[in-house]
Amino acid sequence: MLIVNLKKVTTTFDLRLSSPTTSSLKLLYSTLTLNPNTSQNPKTPPIQNPTKPLTTPQLKTLVLSQYSHGKFSNLIQNVVGLPSVLLTASQNLITPHSNDGLNCTESNELAESTQPHLSLFQSVSKRFSIEEMGREIFENRFDIEAHCVKMSDEGETLVLPNLKLKVFIEAIRIVLEIVYDDRFVTFSYGGRVNMGRHTAIRYLKNSVNNPSWWFSVCFNDVKFDTRKVDKLCLFIEEKIKDAILIDVIKRLFDCGALRIELGRCYLGKGLPQECGLCSILINVYFNGFDREIQEMRLRMSKENPKLDQNEIGEGSSSSYKPLKMHAVRYLDEILVITSGSKMLTMNLKKWVLKFLEGELELNVDRVKTAIHSAVSEKIDFLGMELQAVPPSVLHPPMSEKAIRARKKYIRQKEVKALELKNARERNRKKLGLKLLSHVFKKSKQSDGFKFDFQIENEVREIFQTWADEVVQDFLGSLEERWTWHRMLTAGDFLSLRHIRDQLPQELVDSYDKFQEQVHKHLSPVKARKALEEEGRRIKEEEERKYAERTVDDLTKLCMKVSAPIELVRKAVKMAGFTNKMGRPRPISILTSLEDADIIKWYAGVGRRWLDFFCCCHNLKMVKTVVSYHLRFSCILTLAEKHEATKIECIRHYTKDLKVPDMNGSEEVHFPTEKEVKMMGDKNLSDPKPVDGALSLLLIRLASDEPSHSCVGHFCDKTDTVMYRLRLLQNILNVNPADEDKWVPRMSAIHESLNQMCLPLCSGHKSDLYTGKITLRDVDCTSHVNVD
């Protein structure tokens, strides 16, 4: 009877998705009387009708059903606390390896056919009861502090949520995302669906024209204290009426599981010290500022409309540049661009600083928040360098060397085509002679005999096709037509009058008709005029394009995005890929790893760099760093491990660094040279920077510890291997805050995780090495203490 009642309640909820009242929710949780052995014995078989995760449309319908009188209400009790929503949050936390490469949306869409929710529900039930967790959230009994783990360190203490609290935080995040995502302005990036770094860079490259001045807002180390948390809660209460939600957010800040520090360069990089709620809450905190900027932009566009060429005047040589303002914000990074005077930019900067320091109570670094010329000075934003340049810098014309190479290539194609034509004619001649010989033989043998099949018709069709092709080629050649026309019309005595009078009239008329046909089909005058007209049109088109390109270079400025190649080289040198001379060198600490793991670690760093800087103009220089420095550093590391030479390693692994797998087939993890050459702008939404992959090493331990479950989110594998985390700053004994020794704007994993031991299965270990997942995708609170 218990399972029947539960099935009726959950079925009604999934089909109708109506607004659940308090009485219905109490009925739901009252019918969920748990078996006392379920939570204690993980081997107990699951219930026959497990809870299903919600699809995105269902979740949106459920959240929007709580909207009334301009506000959302009771989201924690009526939405977040539902077992189906918590199961959806658990599905979002599953790493790509555990979910077989499917994201949440794909898994939900395939739920009816493959039923992935069954295995998900079983994995979650082995760790905690999702129904009991939902009841605790509904009754506001969920103990947040009990699910936090403090990571001790000599300096600052790091507080990490365990897996159960991560599910709760993720459930709150997906609900807040549905509430706020459509209410954020268009230039607010970070923590949103398909609104990442590359989307912001694409907007700057496609929409910003003729920038004059710009400035980026830099914050001093701003930690959200009680005063700022209260202000954040006031902003949330403008749209959401839920006292329990406000209390949960405050408790998360108080216990340290949720902390926001502006100006620390670790937001949006997948590091474990960043909570899942940071991005959405930062966007909520800055939403009022974004609204004011948006209104200012609209007001400025209305006061300075864009004029058409007809309004300026067709004969006018002047160009009208309307006053424009652009703004882009990625979490705590703010860039403001203007196309007006410097005085206007100074007033705008004064207003921005006044609003941030006054209304939002943030500490802005006024020295670094300086106005720069968009033309003569570069500015750092989103880990890249921006500068306004003429269009010819982004799309330069062909050089003289390239033009000569192109002409040489065209001549080679013409010679090759002529050789193929001659070979085709030679082969056709041989084949034609064979066909004629065969036809003559058949005609001699056919005396007194009858054949059902007449080969003469087939031969006639073949010769007719060849003849048509020859005529078409002949008519397409002006030189041959001109030669035959001159031979058939010049120097003929029949064109003389005193000769024509002595000849029969029929012969003269036949000659005149023949000359008409010669002029009609062989005269190259019309074709030559057409070719001359085509050449003249091409020349005029080139002159027009050159004039437009020259005018654009004088009147237009575009956005050039470049990778900070000096910082990349400094990171390469600091990590040990190169020596002081800039040449590849081995990394000795990696020699304790397996060959495949060494290659995967190099591949993860290289692919992170290529993916992150794929939208940059100087991507070729980054390709050189990956294809040369990282590739040969990996080869030298393998050579040092096996005490071999570089040539022997290249012969064994090849330059593509192929390594055999468990089945004996070769795998390629490092980008091949051809693959690196073909890489370009992939239009990625929000690729992870290289910081987490570069500063993390996993060292395998040879210990007698019993097997533990994998620390991947809801990974049930027990055939794990113990790995110790080694951080780059501890290996080098460098303080990441020291920009002279550390790479500027490069973040680092918190030092409290150094020397931590994590049991990992082969899949999650491989994903960590290759950079597909980060330490945020594993449960670091389930680490094992190994002496």
Side-chain angles (χ1 to χ4, degrees):
M1 183 63 66
L2 166 65
I3 297 179
V4 173
N5 294 335
L6 172 61
K7 183 177 181 181
K8 290 181 179 180
V9 175
T10 55
T11 304
T12 305
F13 168 71
D14 289 335
L15 293 178
R16 296 182 181 178
L17 284 174
S18 59
S19 176
T21 59
T22 306
S23 59
S24 63
L25 287 169
K26 288 183 177 179
L27 175 62
L28 172 64
Y29 290 111
S30 63
T31 55
L32 293 174
T33 305
L34 299 177
N35 185 354
N37 296 326
T38 301
S39 58
Q40 297 176 2
N41 187 7
K43 296 183 180 180
T44 302
I47 60 176
Q48 298 179 358
N49 297 297
T51 306
K52 295 182 180 180
L54 300 180
T55 61
T56 303
Q58 290 175 338
L59 191 59
K60 285 185 177 180
T61 305
L62 177 60
V63 175
L64 294 178
S65 65
Q66 307 302 315
Y67 186 77
S68 178
H69 303 289
K71 288 188 177 183
F72 293 86
S73 60
N74 299 327
L75 292 177
I76 292 293
Q77 289 184 321
N78 295 353
V79 181
V80 176
L82 294 179
S84 56
V85 177
L86 295 175
L87 197 63
T88 305
S90 302
Q91 192 177 47
N92 287 355
L93 291 178
I94 292 181
T95 56
H97 171 75
S98 299
N99 204 21
D100 294 332
L102 298 175
N103 56 33
C104 177
T105 305
E106 293 173 340
S107 299
N108 287 330
E109 290 175 352
L110 298 175
E112 296 298 329
S113 58
T114 60
Q115 293 184 351
H117 61 274
L118 184 60
S119 59
L120 173 64
F121 185 83
Q122 292 175 350
S123 299
V124 175
S125 300
K126 290 179 180 179
R127 290 161 176 83
F128 54 86
S129 172
I130 201 166
E131 291 85 2
E132 179 63 25
M133 179 181 175
R135 186 184 297 111
E136 292 176 358
I137 295 173
F138 176 76
E139 298 175 358
N140 198 15
R141 295 187 294 104
F142 189 82
D143 191 355
I144 295 177
E145 292 76 7
H147 297 90
C148 295
V149 179
K150 292 185 178 181
M151 303 295 174
S152 60
D153 185 46
E154 296 179 358
E156 188 178 3
T157 302
L158 176 64
V159 179
L160 294 179
N162 63 3
L163 189 55
K164 189 174 182 180
L165 183 55
K166 278 187 175 182
V167 172
F168 186 32
I169 291 174
E170 178 64 18
I172 297 175
R173 189 199 64 81
I174 59 179
V175 171
L176 291 180
E177 183 181 28
I178 295 175
V179 172
Y180 282 103
D181 193 63
D182 295 336
R183 291 168 174 81
F184 291 142
V185 297
T186 56
F187 59 84
S188 172
Y189 298 89
R192 302 176 62 187
V193 180
N194 297 326
M195 295 285 283
R197 291 179 178 86
H198 280 197
T199 313
I201 293 297
R202 200 178 310 127
Y203 165 75
L204 291 173
K205 292 165 65 175
N206 298 335
S207 301
V208 178
N209 294 321
N210 301 317
S212 302
W213 305 93
W214 53 23
F215 64 91
S216 62
V217 180
C218 299
F219 297 98
N220 293 318
D221 293 345
V222 179
K223 186 177 180 180
F224 269 43
D225 52 9
T226 305
R227 185 178 180 86
K228 293 182 179 61
V229 173
D230 292 339
K231 185 178 287 292
L232 173 63
C233 294
L234 290 178
F235 294 152
I236 296 176
E237 289 176 345
E238 294 177 359
K239 187 56 62 178
I240 301 175
K241 184 181 179 182
D242 192 345
I244 299 179
L245 174 62
I246 301 300
D247 180 65
V248 167
I249 293 177
K250 289 183 177 180
R251 287 160 58 192
L252 287 172
F253 273 104
D254 291 339
C255 68
L258 171 60
R259 63 176 187 175
I260 297 178
E261 296 177 336
L262 306 182
R264 293 292 297 272
C265 299
Y266 70 83
L267 296 174
K269 296 186 177 182
L271 301 183
Q273 55 261 39
E274 180 185 2
C275 180
L277 280 176
C278 287
S279 300
I280 186 72
L281 293 182
I282 289 176
N283 289 333
V284 172
Y285 195 81
F286 282 95
N287 190 39
F289 171 76
D290 297 340
R291 294 283 181 183
E292 294 291 334
I293 291 290
Q294 180 75 357
E295 293 179 1
M296 190 179 299
R297 288 182 58 194
L298 296 176
R299 185 168 59 253
M300 190 175 296
S301 299
K302 187 179 296 184
E303 295 175 355
N304 300 272
K306 184 178 181 180
L307 301 180
D308 297 333
Q309 187 66 29
N310 297 330
E311 298 177 356
I312 300 175
E314 296 182 356
S316 177
S317 60
S318 62
S319 59
Y320 174 72
K321 297 181 180 179
L323 185 62
K324 290 289 184 179
M325 182 186 72
H326 300 274
V328 176
R329 184 183 62 80
Y330 181 88
L331 299 181
D332 61 337
E333 298 187 52
I334 304 173
L335 177 66
V336 180
I337 308 171
T338 63
S339 60
S341 62
K342 187 173 183 179
M343 186 61 65
L344 171 69
T345 312
M346 292 175 65
N347 295 334
L348 179 60
K349 174 192 169 185
K350 183 178 179 181
W351 179 89
V352 168
L353 296 181
K354 181 180 179 181
F355 191 94
L356 294 176
E357 294 178 343
E359 297 294 331
L360 300 184
E361 300 180 358
L362 299 176
N363 186 9
V364 181
D365 189 344
R366 290 179 171 266
V367 176
K368 294 183 179 180
T369 308
I371 298 176
H372 300 275
S373 171
V375 179
S376 59
E377 297 179 88
K378 296 180 181 179
I379 194 169
D380 298 328
F381 186 65
L382 298 181
M384 306 174 196
E385 295 177 349
L386 309 180
Q387 188 178 11
V389 296
S392 60
V393 176
L394 299 179
H395 307 286
M398 293 181 64
S399 62
E400 294 293 335
K401 183 178 180 181
I403 294 175
R404 290 195 301 269
R406 184 178 180 85
K407 289 182 178 179
K408 181 180 179 181
Y409 174 71
I410 293 175
R411 287 196 301 270
Q412 291 176 351
K413 286 182 62 178
E414 292 175 353
V415 171
K416 186 67 175 178
L418 182 60
E419 292 177 353
L420 293 176
K421 179 182 177 182
N422 295 335
R424 184 171 62 252
E425 292 178 353
R426 184 171 58 254
N427 294 334
R428 282 184 177 181
K429 181 179 179 180
K430 294 180 180 179
L431 182 60
L433 293 175
K434 290 182 179 180
L435 288 175
L436 290 175
S437 176
H438 185 72
V439 169
F440 288 143
K441 289 180 180 179
K442 288 294 183 181
S443 61
K444 292 180 179 180
Q445 297 175 2
S446 62
D447 296 340
F449 297 95
K450 292 184 179 179
F451 294 94
D452 296 335
F453 180 73
Q454 299 295 330
I455 193 174
E456 290 82 357
N457 297 331
E458 297 293 331
V459 173
R460 188 177 293 108
E461 291 180 2
I462 294 175
F463 282 176
Q464 182 66 32
T465 304
W466 290 355
D468 294 340
E469 292 181 4
V470 171
V471 172
Q472 293 296 329
D473 293 341
F474 172 76
L475 295 178
S477 175
L478 288 178
E479 295 180 358
E480 293 185 4
R481 289 171 61 182
W482 183 264
T483 302
W484 280 94
H485 184 271
R486 184 173 61 253
M487 292 171 59
L488 295 174
T489 56
D492 201 323
F493 66 96
L494 293 179
S495 60
L496 301 177
R497 181 174 295 276
H498 64 279
I499 300 296
R500 293 168 61 91
D501 295 340
Q502 301 177 13
L503 296 176
Q505 188 63 32
E506 295 180 356
L507 179 60
V508 174
D509 293 342
S510 299
Y511 172 76
D512 293 339
K513 291 181 180 179
F514 175 73
Q515 291 295 325
E516 289 179 3
Q517 295 298 321
V518 168
H519 285 292
K520 179 179 179 181
H521 296 287
L522 298 181
S523 178
V525 177
K526 294 182 179 180
R528 186 176 295 276
K529 288 183 178 179
L531 287 178
E532 291 176 355
E533 185 67 25
E534 181 68 18
R536 190 181 303 110
R537 187 188 64 81
I538 293 175
K539 186 176 180 181
E540 292 177 355
E541 183 71 17
E542 292 178 354
E543 292 177 353
R544 185 186 62 81
K545 289 182 178 179
Y546 176 78
E548 290 181 354
R549 191 163 58 245
T550 304
V551 173
D552 288 343
D553 285 346
L554 296 175
T555 60
K556 188 177 180 181
L557 293 174
C558 299
M559 191 68 66
K560 176 186 176 183
V561 182
S562 303
I565 196 64
E566 294 299 328
L567 298 183
V568 173
R569 289 171 178 168
K570 185 176 180 180
V572 167
K573 183 179 179 181
M574 184 185 67
F577 295 112
T578 59
N579 54 20
K580 295 181 180 180
M581 301 296 293
R583 297 178 180 176
R585 62 176 294 272
I587 300 179
S588 301
I589 195 174
L590 296 177
T591 55
S592 59
L593 304 179
E594 298 180 359
D595 294 352
D597 294 340
I598 294 175
I599 297 175
K600 288 177 182 179
W601 184 82
Y602 277 95
V605 175
R607 289 189 182 275
R608 283 281 185 92
W609 257 324
L610 292 173
D611 290 341
F612 188 79
F613 294 118
C614 68
C615 60
C616 296
H617 185 260
N618 60 344
L619 176 62
K620 186 176 181 180
M621 304 182 73
V622 182
K623 290 181 178 180
T624 303
V625 171
V626 175
S627 186
Y628 173 64
H629 295 93
L630 267 66
R631 185 186 305 276
F632 281 92
S633 176
C634 181
I635 292 174
L636 293 174
T637 303
L638 293 171
E640 181 178 332
K641 175 184 176 181
H642 296 286
E643 297 181 356
T645 62
K646 181 179 69 174
I647 302 299
E648 292 175 347
C649 278
I650 293 177
R651 289 174 183 172
H652 184 268
Y653 298 100
T654 72
K655 282 190 177 181
D656 294 334
L657 296 172
K658 297 179 181 179
V659 61
D661 59 1
M662 300 295 295
N663 299 325
S665 59
E666 292 183 340
E667 290 182 342
V668 180
H669 302 285
F670 199 91
T672 63
E673 293 182 341
K674 184 177 180 180
E675 184 181 356
V676 172
K677 289 181 180 179
M678 298 298 293
M679 282 185 178
D681 194 350
K682 300 179 181 178
N683 292 330
L684 299 180
S685 177
D686 197 8
K688 290 292 185 293
V690 75
D691 305 27
L694 183 63
S695 59
L696 174 65
L697 294 178
L698 295 176
I699 306 300
R700 180 172 180 173
L701 297 182
S703 62
D704 297 332
E705 290 288 329
S707 60
H708 298 79
S709 297
C710 179
V711 295
H713 291 164
F714 301 107
C715 182
D716 297 331
K717 293 185 177 180
T718 56
D719 52 340
T720 59
V721 178
M722 197 68 63
Y723 289 89
R724 187 183 295 276
L725 304 184
R726 295 295 305 276
L727 302 184
L728 181 62
Q729 64 266 28
N730 295 93
I731 296 174
L732 301 177
N733 194 18
V734 175
N735 184 9
D738 188 0
E739 294 187 355
D740 294 334
K741 298 181 179 180
W742 192 259
V743 180
R745 300 188 303 276
M746 176 179 167
S747 58
I749 301 174
H750 199 274
E751 293 186 1
S752 61
L753 301 181
N754 188 46
Q755 302 289 339
M756 178 183 291
C757 296
L758 299 178
L760 294 169
C761 64
S762 59
H764 283 108
K765 179 260 300 182
S766 178
D767 291 343
L768 273 174
Y769 273 128
T770 56
K772 295 179 181 179
I773 63 175
T774 63
L775 286 181
R776 279 187 58 185
D777 299 316
V778 299
D779 186 13
C780 293
T781 60
S782 300
H783 66 279
V784 179
N785 294 323
V786 179
D787 296 332

